[in-house]
Amino acid sequence: MNGSLTFDNWDPKQLPHFPIDDESNGAQEVIRWSFAHYGPDLVYACSFGAESMVLIDLLSQVSPKIRLVFLDTGLHFRETYETIDAVVRRYPKLHLERIRLVEQGVVHGERLWERNPDLCCHLRKILPLKQALSGAAAWISGLRREQSPIRQFTRFLNRDEKFGLIKICPLVHWTEAEVWEYIRVRDLPYNKLHIQGYPSIGCAPCTRPVAKGEDPRAGRWSGTGKTECGLHPSSWKG
């Protein structure tokens, strides 16, 4: 790993400046810097949503062989797996790792998401990602500031207290319209549920379509008061 920007050597006053007045709102420059700075110690944790399609395409233009991790909870929609297959065909050099927890039902019983969604997410997403990020120095996420109030202060580079890494968010300044315009212009594959009322797609039992006028994330864990799986903290320190 080149340079000195790590979780343990974090100084917000020394963060690199990335202009955002280019065609990618700074994303491409952030990605180039990230590959140059972290190299093989960089991981992209991908959900295969709309933002993922943009990031995979941008990443592939910088390095054809990217390490991409998918948290396969075993509960995803059929359309999500179809999207993954389409992406693998489009990018044959993609290094995709599917991380899956051993069946949790033996210990916690079936349909844990109905009784304790926080524990379900912890077991199926947080622990597997922690395993996948072991040995890494930084990871990439598709968070955008526009997505929700708790993400409005997300920066290109963030000190991730949960995983003890640098978290890189190249798309923080992108709007939803810009994401979909990029997908259209580049003719990228995408999850067809997005055009069926699912702006945010997670596990099938915990995701429903969103009605017109609802918050884009209203379909996630509907009726539980839960809005995040726990991978992304609500605020950034430093």
Side-chain angles (χ1 to χ4, degrees), residues 7-19:
F7 179 84
D8 294 321
N9 189 18
W10 174 264
D11 183 355
K13 296 180 180 179
Q14 300 299 318
L15 295 179
H17 173 69
F18 302 107

Side-chain angles (χ1 to χ4, degrees), residues 1 21 25-26 30 56 62 78 111 115 123 139-140 173 175 185 197 199 229-230 232:
M1 180 176 63
D21 56 354
N25 295 333
V30 171
I56 290 173
V62 175
R78 170 180 53 81
R111 306 183 72 83
R115 294 177 282 106
L123 294 173
W139 68 295
I140 294 175
H173 296 289
T175 65
V185 170
C229 64
H232 309 295

Side-chain angles (χ1 to χ4, degrees), residues 16-91:
H17 173 69
F18 302 107
I20 63 173
D21 56 354
D22 61 4
E23 292 184 353
S24 69
N25 295 333
Q28 195 68 296
E29 184 60 30
V30 171
I31 290 171
R32 281 193 290 265
W33 179 91
S34 300
F35 271 105
H37 197 83
Y38 298 110
D41 296 319
L42 180 66
V43 176
Y44 175 29
C46 177
S47 66
F48 288 93
E51 289 80 11
S52 299
M53 301 301 99
V54 173
L55 275 175
I56 290 173
D57 194 67
L58 291 174
L59 286 162
S60 70
Q61 295 172 40
V62 175
S63 176
K65 296 181 179 180
I66 63 173
R67 185 186 171 205
L68 190 153
V69 168
F70 173 62
L71 304 179
D72 190 349
T73 65
L75 297 171
H76 290 287
F77 289 94
R78 170 180 53 81
E79 289 86 351
T80 299
Y81 293 110
E82 291 173 351
T83 303
I84 295 173
D85 292 340
V87 168
V88 171
R89 290 193 297 270
R90 173 78 175 251
Y91 306 93

Side-chain angles (χ1 to χ4, degrees), residues 3-219:
S4 59
L5 183 60
T6 66
F7 179 84
D8 294 321
N9 189 18
W10 174 264
D11 183 355
K13 296 180 180 179
Q14 300 299 318
L15 295 179
H17 173 69
F18 302 107
I20 63 173
D21 56 354
D22 61 4
E23 292 184 353
S24 69
N25 295 333
Q28 195 68 296
E29 184 60 30
V30 171
I31 290 171
R32 281 193 290 265
W33 179 91
S34 300
F35 271 105
H37 197 83
Y38 298 110
D41 296 319
L42 180 66
V43 176
Y44 175 29
C46 177
S47 66
F48 288 93
E51 289 80 11
S52 299
M53 301 301 99
V54 173
L55 275 175
I56 290 173
D57 194 67
L58 291 174
L59 286 162
S60 70
Q61 295 172 40
V62 175
S63 176
K65 296 181 179 180
I66 63 173
R67 185 186 171 205
L68 190 153
V69 168
F70 173 62
L71 304 179
D72 190 349
T73 65
L75 297 171
H76 290 287
F77 289 94
R78 170 180 53 81
E79 289 86 351
T80 299
Y81 293 110
E82 291 173 351
T83 303
I84 295 173
D85 292 340
V87 168
V88 171
R89 290 193 297 270
R90 173 78 175 251
Y91 306 93
K93 294 183 179 180
L94 189 72
H95 177 47
L96 174 61
E97 299 176 25
R98 303 187 189 213
I99 309 297
R100 186 169 182 178
L101 177 75
V102 175
E103 180 57 46
Q104 66 176 233
V106 175
V107 177
H108 298 282
E110 300 300 327
R111 306 183 72 83
L112 179 62
W113 57 87
E114 294 179 346
R115 294 177 282 106
N116 192 335
D118 286 333
L119 178 58
C120 189
C121 286
H122 180 76
L123 294 173
R124 291 182 184 264
K125 300 186 77 172
I126 296 175
L127 291 184
L129 182 57
K130 184 176 181 180
Q131 170 192 328
L133 295 179
S134 176
W139 68 295
I140 294 175
S141 173
L143 296 185
R144 295 186 294 107
R145 290 183 175 182
E146 185 190 59
Q147 288 172 323
S148 69
I150 68 170
R151 298 180 180 183
Q152 63 181 313
F153 300 112
T154 306
R155 300 172 297 201
F156 283 132
L157 305 176
N158 308 271
R159 191 171 189 263
D160 191 337
E161 299 284 346
K162 180 178 287 291
F163 296 106
L165 301 173
I166 300 300
K167 186 172 185 176
I168 302 165
C169 302
L171 301 183
V172 288
H173 296 289
W174 285 54
T175 65
E176 181 182 8
E178 288 171 329
V179 168
W180 283 103
E181 177 65 9
Y182 188 91
I183 290 174
R184 184 191 67 79
V185 170
R186 296 282 293 174
D187 192 25
L188 303 180
Y190 62 88
N191 194 321
K192 296 305 184 286
L193 289 176
H194 283 307
I195 58 176
Q196 298 175 30
Y198 292 81
S200 178
I201 303 170
C203 295
C206 303
T207 309
R208 66 162 174 81
V210 172
K212 185 177 181 180
E214 279 192 299
D215 183 277
R217 292 186 64 81

